[in-house]
Amino acid sequence: MELTGAQILLESLKKEGVDSIFGFPGGAVIDIYDEIPKHPEITHYLVRHEQGAIHAADGYARATGKVGVCLVTSGPGATNTVTGIANAYMDSIPVVIFTGQVPSSLIGNDAFQEVDIVGITRPCTKHNYLVKDVEDLARVIKEAFYLARTGRPGPVLVDLPKDVAQARTEYRYPRSCKLRSYRPTVEPNRKQLSKALDLVRAAEKPLFYAGGGVISSDAHAELTWLAHNLRIPVTTTLMGLGAFPGDDPLFLGMLGMHGTYAANRAVQECDLLIAVGARFDDRVTGRVSSFAPNAKVVHIDVDPTSIRKNVSVDVPIVADCAATLKALKQDVAEGLSQEGFVRDHTPWLERLAEWGQRHPLTYNGANGTIIKPQQVVETLYDLTGGNAIISTEVGQNQMWAAQFFRYRRPRTLLTSGGLGTMGFGFPAAIGAQVAFPGELVIDIAGDGSIQMNIQELATAVCYGLPVKIIILNNGYLGMVRQWQELFYARNYCATCMDFAPDFVKLAEAYGASGFRITRPEELRPVLKEAIELPRTVIVDVHVAPEENVYPMVPAGASLNEMLLV
Amino acid sequence: MRHVLSILVENEPGVLSRVSGLFSGRGFNIESLNVGPTLEPGVSLMTITTVGENAIIEQIIKQLRKVVTVIKVVDMLDCKAVEREMVLVKVNATETNRAEILRISDIFRCKVVDVSHDEMTIEATGDKDKVGAVVAMLQRFGIKEIARTGTVAMRRSMQ
């Protein structure tokens, strides 16, 4: 049957199992929007800014593991998604972005709302397409979804000229993709795997360093099994929180710039570092030359470019994390029956426990008159029992959310790790709430970040999404202020947010509910009420203005050089 | 270290900028870049010459392999290779020095491809050093214009 490009797009989305699209219409995509009401199995969520659409699609993808979909018009609609695309690219999140384009005959003419979005997004997409012929459309969509979700996942953009959306052709959705230049390695090399196992067996002080790759490849069960059976402690990156149970005795907490004392010391002392789906980001390693100085390094990653990028590796394994850990689990399961299959790690674990006890995550000055931001996150954990999907904005709020909430399941922390995008958390929470209407979704925000995509309150209220926004309001752009305090002689240039809207009234203006908390004794009851309210809620919590995030490894210092509380 | 990379690509619009973008995005210079079709329709061969530390080149090669439209990448440092480059040099050629220019062309086995009453265009082919030497020898006559193709390379049969 002959279909138009717009019809082909919607039919293909159906074939890919897409149930939600986040988007904003415009002239270049009006033909596609004309088709949407004819497909009731796909719900379109109208956002209030295209950046909200891409972050919502990203949040949906992080929470579900499926591909998030975003649809916007050409020109400003397309460029407004660029931050969100770069964000998804840095964190390897599978998203497909459909952008409208001016008619083919006008491309390159500086036509109204024309922009070379394929050119603009080339460095921040896994791949992108300009569809010039409606004949190619079904194949391109198939490839886009395939590329987005396989190998190292990432965003793929499809630019659709208006005339292509209007043109007709016979529709046939391809069953598979033929891409001879794209064949990600899934299964690990057996030789490398046995080398890694030899190192594990010989190690006295081994350590797992898990990243977002464990979550995106669904390898958490294997990681947990291996850690438990081999008695290897685990630290994770920010992106890896939830890859290993946050309340497990073997869990050391996050490592890196704001990592725990125990985790950072463990990295510096371990004799074997097993990096799984992590990429040795500079926020993790501190000074690279003194990172894990005594360790042999095993690095498992599906993306060969991640390996040996920053740190030299003894055993590189280019493969899917889940496939690799499964294979390792099989070998370990066979070996464990032998006496002395691995060394006894008791002294190592005792040493780590001692470090953990000596310097736990903590804060001073909760004195009954002032609310500490850490206290807010702790109370949230307590009230929810950890059963919530947490998204964060970026800055101090993000680090406290990472430190003081324990993530027991994967995909329960949605945070902008690589790009550090302020304004990410709220729209991402909307995406997660769309995917899981019955779950409690909380955006832990700062007063600065929340103002970057506050307009999405309309989206949340309009679709009845009961997202909770908890603002840790300290009247500052807190993380930058912290750097200014510690490293720039307290020159608080442009970090004091001394004018902010009345967030309670703002919530009410959008039809949401607003609460304000200024005294410690209000914290628990009001947060409880807010959480239980089945509506979109903002809670404006006035916290200690000059509280800092500790521990802190100053940029460029070694992980041993931590500033403690 | 100078590296010659031989890159087989799908000949799609934008492939050149996908490849060159990997270099510019990291703040590296490309010494020469050269593209031409292969026997297979829709597939082109790029030869890129660049200078950088080995670890960085290793990263670039891995990144190049990650580009969806790149089929194959070979670093010619890893094998013995034949390298060639062609140059066209338009040089001042007066009555008095024309014979000298012809003699130099002869020594380097160059071809004269164009001539007028006061200039001559010479075609030279060879590896980078030879082409460099030809250009250096002709410089004293006054070069008016120069066009170099950049290196093309191929793996030697006998390794």
Side-chain angles (χ1 to χ4, degrees), chain A residues 19-37:
Chain A
D19 50 33
S20 311
I21 308 177
F22 302 90
F24 202 99
V29 282
I30 198 164
D31 295 279
I32 299 166
Y33 275 85
D34 194 45
E35 286 301 317
I36 290 177

Side-chain angles (χ1 to χ4, degrees), chain A residues 116-138:
Chain A
D116 173 16
I117 196 64
V118 169
I120 289 173
T121 59
R122 207 167 274 140
C124 61
T125 47
K126 183 168 172 186
H127 194 53
N128 59 17
Y129 296 90
L130 168 62
V131 183
K132 286 198 287 197
D133 186 341
V134 69
E135 302 283 336
D136 297 331
L137 183 57

